[in-house]
Amino acid sequence: MKLRLLFAFFALSLFITSCGSSDNLDGNWIKSSTFPGIERSGAVSFVIDNAVYVGTGFNGKDALTSFYKYTIERDWEKIADFPGTARMKAVAFEANGKGYVGTGRDDEDQRLSDFYEYTPAVDAEGNEIGTWALVTNEFPGSKRQDAVAFSINNVGYVGTGYGFLEGEDRSLLKDFYKFESGVWSKINFNGEKCKNTTSFVINGKAYIISGEGSANDVWEFDPAVGFTAKKSLNKDNKWEDVQRSEAVSFVINNKGYVATGKTGSYTNEVWEYNPATDDWNEKTSLEYEVGVREGAVGFSLNNRGFIVTGYGNGYLSNMWEFNPTMKETDDDNF
C-alpha cells in the first residue's frame, strides 16, 4: 500500500510539472461555447466583421465540407456547406468582406489547388444566408496542403506548404502568391521551404511563425518591403524547447499569441510576441482542461483570442478564450 501511494504521489507530481502553469506567468484560459459540428482537426477559419467562419477538416474517418458561423452575441449557427471537394489542411483568408477557402487534401490523399469564395448575408431575423462560388481565376501555385494564408488591406496571401512541384513529388514548398481584386500573382519569399506554420497580422504586417522545415522560424511581411527575418521564438537560447508545427495564433491588443501544436510530442506552452520590441514572452501554459492539441483553429473577435477544435486525446469540439492579463484560475473551466 505504501509503495502504491508513493508511486501515485510521484505520478501526480510529474503530471503537475508537465501540465500545470507557473504561478509567476500571466494568462488564463476560460471555457467558452462548444463548437456544434462534428469534432474535427485540420479545419480552417476566416473572420469577417465581428463573425468567424469555421469549417472543413477531418473527423478521423472523412474529410468534411460543413461550415459554421460564430459571433459572441449569437453563438454558433450552421451555414451553407463548402461546395468544393471535402478537404482537410486547407487555408482561408478574408478580403473585401468575403471569405476564401482553398488548397488542402481530400479523402484519397490527393492535394488540391482550387479556391472558393464565400459572400456573407443575413435574413430579416439575422440568420446567416451567405453563398459560395468558385473562384474562376485559378491559383497559380502547385497543389498543396499545410500552407499558410493571411490578408492585409483586402489582399490575400497564400504560400509554403507540402505538395507537388515540377520534377518533384510531395515536397516542402516556399512559393508565395497574393490575391488582389480577383487576380493571383507571385511574390518573392526569401525564407526556406516549410509547412504547418501559423500566422497573425498586426498593424498591416503579417508574422509567419514556426512550422516544419524552416531554419528561421519568424518572418515579418510588410507589403511595401517584403519578408524580413525577426527574432526567433526562443527559450533560454534553445529553439528546440518551443519549436512547433500545427500551432494556432491570434491577436489581442496588438500582440500576437502562439499556442498548442506539437514538437514531436504535443506542447502546452503559450508565447506572446510584441512586434514593437521584437520580443517574445512566455505566458501561462494551456490548462489541463483545455487539452494539448494539433490542427486546431485560432482566431480573434472583438480583440479577444480563441481556440477551437483540433486533435489531442481524440478529435475535439471545445472552445476556449485566452485572457493574457489574468492569473490562472480553475473557476472558469466548466
Side-chain angles (χ1 to χ4, degrees), residues 152-225:
I152 301 174
N153 297 330
N154 291 315
V155 178
Y157 297 87
V158 177
T160 68
Y162 180 77
F164 299 92
L165 290 173
E166 185 177 353
E168 300 180 66
D169 183 27
R170 299 190 177 188
S171 302
L172 289 177
L173 305 172
K174 64 170 286 183
D175 50 334
F176 239 95
Y177 304 85
K178 72 175 181 179
F179 182 74
E180 184 174 13
S181 301
V183 178
W184 291 99
S185 58
K186 192 170 185 178
I187 64 173
N188 182 58
F189 174 52
N190 51 327
E192 299 184 35
K193 298 177 180 180
C194 55
K195 67 176 182 177
N196 285 326
T197 65
T198 187
S199 66
F200 52 80
V201 175
I202 299 175
N203 293 329
K205 297 178 182 179
Y207 298 86
I208 300 175
I209 314 298
S210 200
E212 301 173 50
S214 176
N216 190 298
D217 48 281
V218 182
W219 289 91
E220 178 188 82
F221 175 72
D222 182 336
V225 176

Side-chain angles (χ1 to χ4, degrees), residues 115-174:
F115 270 82
Y116 286 79
E117 173 189 87
Y118 183 77
T119 302
V122 296
D123 63 18
E125 287 74 39
N127 301 308
E128 181 71 25
I129 54 171
T131 56
W132 293 94
L134 178 67
V135 175
T136 54
N137 290 328
E138 295 184 5
F139 176 64
S142 57
K143 298 177 180 181
R144 67 192 65 200
Q145 66 182 76
D146 301 324
V148 68
F150 53 85
S151 61
I152 301 174
N153 297 330
N154 291 315
V155 178
Y157 297 87
V158 177
T160 68
Y162 180 77
F164 299 92
L165 290 173
E166 185 177 353
E168 300 180 66
D169 183 27
R170 299 190 177 188
S171 302
L172 289 177
L173 305 172
K174 64 170 286 183

